[in-house]
Amino acid sequence: MVLKTGKEYIESLRKRRLVVYLLGEKVENPVDHPIIRPSINSLSATYDVANDPRYRDLATATSHITGERINRFTHIHQSTDDLVKKVKLLRLLGGKTGTCFQRCVGMDALNTLSIVTFEMDQKLGTDYYQRFLEYLKYVQGNDLVCCGAMTDPKGDRSLRPSQQEDPDLYLRIVERREDGIVVRGAKMHQTGAVNSHEVIVMPTRTMREDDKDYAVSFAIPSDTQGLIYIYGRQSCDTRKLEDVEFDTGNIRYGGQEAMIIFDDVFVPWERVFMCGEYQFAWPLVDNFSAYHRQSYGGCKSGVGDVLIGAAATIAEYNGVADSSSIRDKIVEMNHLNETIYSCGIACSSEGTKTPSGTYLVNVLLANICKHNVTRFPYEIVRLAEDIAGGILVTAPSERDFKNPEIGKYVEKYLKGVSKVPTEYRLRILRLIENISMGLGSVGYRTESMHGAGSPQSQRIMIERGVDMEHKKKLAKIIAGIEKEELAEIKK
Ligand code: SF4
Ligand code: FE
């Protein structure tokens, strides 16, 4: 049995020697830092569910390489059932944490590499797949968190990696040695980077021959020499430094994004999964994007559950829960949220087996899923804000509420229905604020827009993925332009 508990995971983080900067200062102990810790708590939930008998089937799986019971976040999908369970697990965790729990990017990277290294070996005679399997055994056997590092800084977006004035704006190989490679560059917006044991690097776009030094994929321990983490700011993050309990909205959990600098980092050959095979950069990005667009069908609907629950609760606290207009808004929120989830389930059920044996989601439906995510959470937030009222952004602070002089006024005048304490009302308002526009909005709003690719990238994939000739044929048959018996109709 290789399942770590949440507590063991947190202890394992202490053994690393990371170089982390936050708010302009070096952080000696990231594990206990008040701004970082809530994000570690979210990740530890991915361990706790795997040890909870109620969620065993969803949160664990049987390793296809060792036969051991492992955490699903390190599993390679062996069926469409695995793909469906992934989405259900992510929804469960989104609901438990109300935020991003950061472990899916690594899972998506592992599954992507299992497909692409196999294909590379088939076509090029390389031995990347075997290397990958050895690495996978290590990750599964130690129940590790992998940070999936894809997005480069990109510099001038109109130029290819090799055309940039500063050649480091896409991560690249700067030296090939007998024992490995040396890489330089940076990866942006890295979810859970500071909370990871391993960093899996992947290219971020299509590459041509000139870009081959940028076509690189590898995995290294997160405390490898030369790695520097610069922690991303979130809205209201310094509230976590105040001596308050509920003003942050989510009293226990948080998300995390950081920038990772690769300052001439050495990678041994056994950890290299792509090195110059530029033709495979796109397939890698394509598969990874599909998996991560599927992921959002789970996690975003889980966080949506929390926000919808908060909106319904504040309506009760305000005494308007029975109003037909409020009930209708809640119905609309649920409709949007379940649509996101439905797409996550659909692209999973329609998944197919790749030559490696790994199951991949239906790419078109995964893109539809993520495209809905670039819109629906915004509408759900709008409705939550509508239901909550202006007090969402004007309520006094927790410190005012607890102030011996004026607390009584806050208590008295912010009361809703008489049987509910004012404090509860403030707590729920802060939670709505957190997800809609505060600390948690990184995961529920802007990440919904840009995470796993911004909306236009899904529209490109939708245009590529739909069979327009088929649709035109259907129309022409019905209009009597083509004869049905002569046309090949898809089932
Ligand atoms: Fe997982 Fe969602 Fe966070 Fe991505 S945004 S890592 S899918 S919880
Ligand atoms: Fe993401």
Side-chain angles (χ1 to χ4, degrees):
M1 187 69 124
V2 289
L3 296 172
K4 275 199 188 96
T5 63
K7 218 167 147 218
E8 287 165 345
Y9 156 68
I10 293 172
E11 284 315 304
S12 73
L13 294 182
R14 296 186 193 283
K15 299 192 186 105
R16 308 163 312 157
R17 289 284 160 262
L18 294 194
V19 180
V20 183
Y21 284 82
L22 167 56
L23 298 176
E25 283 173 12
K26 197 166 175 188
V27 180
E28 293 307 332
N29 173 10
V31 177
D32 298 310
H33 193 289
I35 289 187
I36 302 177
R37 186 51 181 260
S39 67
I40 294 177
N41 292 340
S42 306
L43 242 162
S44 84
T46 70
Y47 287 90
D48 286 334
V49 287
N51 286 283
D52 186 328
R54 288 175 299 170
Y55 309 123
R56 187 175 188 270
D57 188 44
L58 271 195
T60 68
T62 304
S63 165
H64 73 297
I65 43 174
T66 64
E68 292 246 40
R69 190 130 281 267
I70 53 169
N71 191 302
R72 186 170 293 282
F73 281 97
T74 67
H75 183 52
I76 301 298
H77 312 298
Q78 298 301 302
S79 62
T80 53
D81 188 48
D82 275 343
L83 290 168
V84 168
K85 281 180 179 154
K86 170 193 164 185
V87 172
K88 289 179 185 247
L89 172 63
L90 269 47
R91 185 170 187 173
L92 170 81
L93 282 161
K96 275 187 172 289
T97 61
T99 186
C100 166
F101 37 89
Q102 309 142 56
R103 208 173 170 187
C104 333
V105 199
M107 165 167 49
D108 294 341
L110 290 171
N111 276 276
T112 300
L113 283 172
S114 81
I115 294 175
V116 177
T117 54
F118 185 88
E119 280 174 15
M120 285 166 79
D121 288 3
Q122 295 286 299
K123 294 213 173 100
L124 307 173
T126 46
D127 64 350
Y128 290 126
Y129 186 60
Q130 200 47 50
R131 277 186 203 175
F132 168 74
L133 288 181
E134 287 306 315
Y135 177 66
L136 181 68
K137 239 181 254 173
Y138 170 70
V139 170
Q140 291 184 342
N142 292 281
D143 201 357
L144 301 179
V145 173
C146 300
C147 161
M150 178 168 270
T151 311
D152 292 276
K154 296 189 186 129
D156 182 339
R157 271 65 174 166
S158 71
L159 300 176
R160 310 190 62 77
S162 56
Q163 296 170 328
Q164 300 284 332
E165 194 176 316
D166 180 345
D168 300 336
L169 291 177
Y170 285 81
L171 188 140
R172 66 186 178 122
I173 305 162
V174 289
E175 196 186 341
R176 289 174 166 81
R177 294 180 5 192
E178 207 161 287
D179 49 350
I181 55 174
V182 177
V183 297
R184 185 186 305 155
K187 290 288 184 182
M188 311 297 294
H189 328 295
Q190 291 312 304
T191 301
V194 174
N195 303 339
S196 300
H197 304 103
E198 289 279 320
V199 180
I200 302 177
V201 166
M202 298 164 284
T204 197
R205 54 168 293 161
T206 47
M207 303 277 176
R208 294 191 190 149
E209 194 167 358
D210 289 350
D211 306 315
K212 65 178 185 314
D213 286 344
Y214 297 89
V216 61
S217 177
F218 56 86
I220 45 176
S222 55
D223 57 359
T224 300
Q225 197 183 355
L227 290 183
I228 301 164
Y229 299 82
I230 308 175
Y231 211 89
R233 276 218 87 157
Q234 296 175 344
S235 171
C236 313
D237 50 7
T238 45
R239 279 196 201 176
K240 289 189 268 188
L241 301 175
E242 297 171 13
D243 184 23
V244 290
E245 200 215 330
F246 63 80
D247 256 0
T248 57
N250 187 330
I251 61 163
R252 179 138 189 248
Y253 300 110
Q256 174 191 106
E257 311 290 331
M259 183 173 166
I260 315 179
I261 310 297
F262 295 72
D263 190 15
D264 288 1
V265 173
F266 173 70
V267 186
W269 283 119
E270 64 269 21
R271 291 296 201 96
V272 177
F273 309 126
M274 178 185 286
C275 183
E277 294 85 357
Y278 63 93
Q279 330 79 297
F280 284 89
W282 173 248
L284 193 152
V285 175
D286 194 21
N287 284 311
F288 176 81
S289 308
Y291 278 130
H292 208 53
R293 289 169 192 176
Q294 169 214 24
S295 295
Y296 283 23
C299 81
K300 302 301 179 221
S301 56
V303 178
D305 289 333
V306 178
L307 184 56
I308 296 167
T313 305
I314 198 67
E316 278 173 25
Y317 291 178
N318 289 345
V320 292
D322 292 334
S323 141
S324 61
S325 74
I326 296 285
R327 280 169 38 215
D328 195 51
K329 282 169 190 153
I330 301 280
V331 167
E332 178 64 11
M333 292 166 96
N334 278 310
H335 164 67
L336 295 169
N337 201 46
E338 297 302 335
T339 305
I340 291 173
Y341 177 63
S342 308
C343 290
I345 293 296
C347 71
S348 305
S349 316
E350 295 274 298
T352 47
K353 192 175 183 176
T354 66
S356 63
T358 304
Y359 272 71
L360 177 65
V361 291
N362 176 301
V363 176
L364 173 62
L365 297 184
N367 276 278
I368 302 289
C369 177
K370 170 66 213 310
H371 206 51
N372 284 339
V373 169
T374 65
R375 299 173 180 178
F376 295 176
Y378 287 79
E379 182 62 7
I380 295 171
V381 161
R382 189 184 75 78
L383 290 164
E385 200 172 325
D386 180 352
I387 293 170
I391 193 69
L392 183 61
V393 289
T394 61
S397 70
E398 181 180 337
R399 284 175 175 174
D400 292 314
F401 175 69
K402 289 179 175 164
N403 180 291
E405 306 295 315
I406 54 156
K408 59 180 188 249
Y409 298 120
V410 179
E411 171 90 48
K412 176 179 166 76
Y413 290 111
L414 286 190
K415 187 108 180 148
V417 293
S418 60
K419 64 177 188 326
V420 174
T422 301
E423 182 181 325
Y424 289 6
R425 191 161 174 254
L426 285 171
R427 281 179 183 265
I428 282 290
L429 286 166
R430 289 292 173 216
L431 172 59
I432 297 172
E433 180 196 34
N434 172 295
I435 298 174
S436 309
M437 59 192 87
L439 281 156
S441 64
V442 183
Y444 195 60
R445 287 190 44 168
T446 311
E447 201 196 28
S448 288
M449 182 67 80
H450 291 291
S454 45
Q456 196 55 30
S457 58
Q458 288 113 54
R459 298 184 81 81
I460 291 167
M461 293 306 291
I462 293 167
E463 189 174 34
R464 276 190 202 159
V466 291
D467 185 348
M468 284 312 299
E469 288 311 312
H470 169 64
K471 291 176 201 284
K472 284 194 277 183
K473 193 166 280 178
L474 293 177
K476 286 175 188 169
I477 290 168
I478 289 174
I481 299 168
E482 276 188 29
K483 295 236 178 311
E484 181 164 6
E485 57 272 20
L486 298 178
E488 184 85 6
I489 300 269
K490 269 206 219 160
K491 284 187 208 109

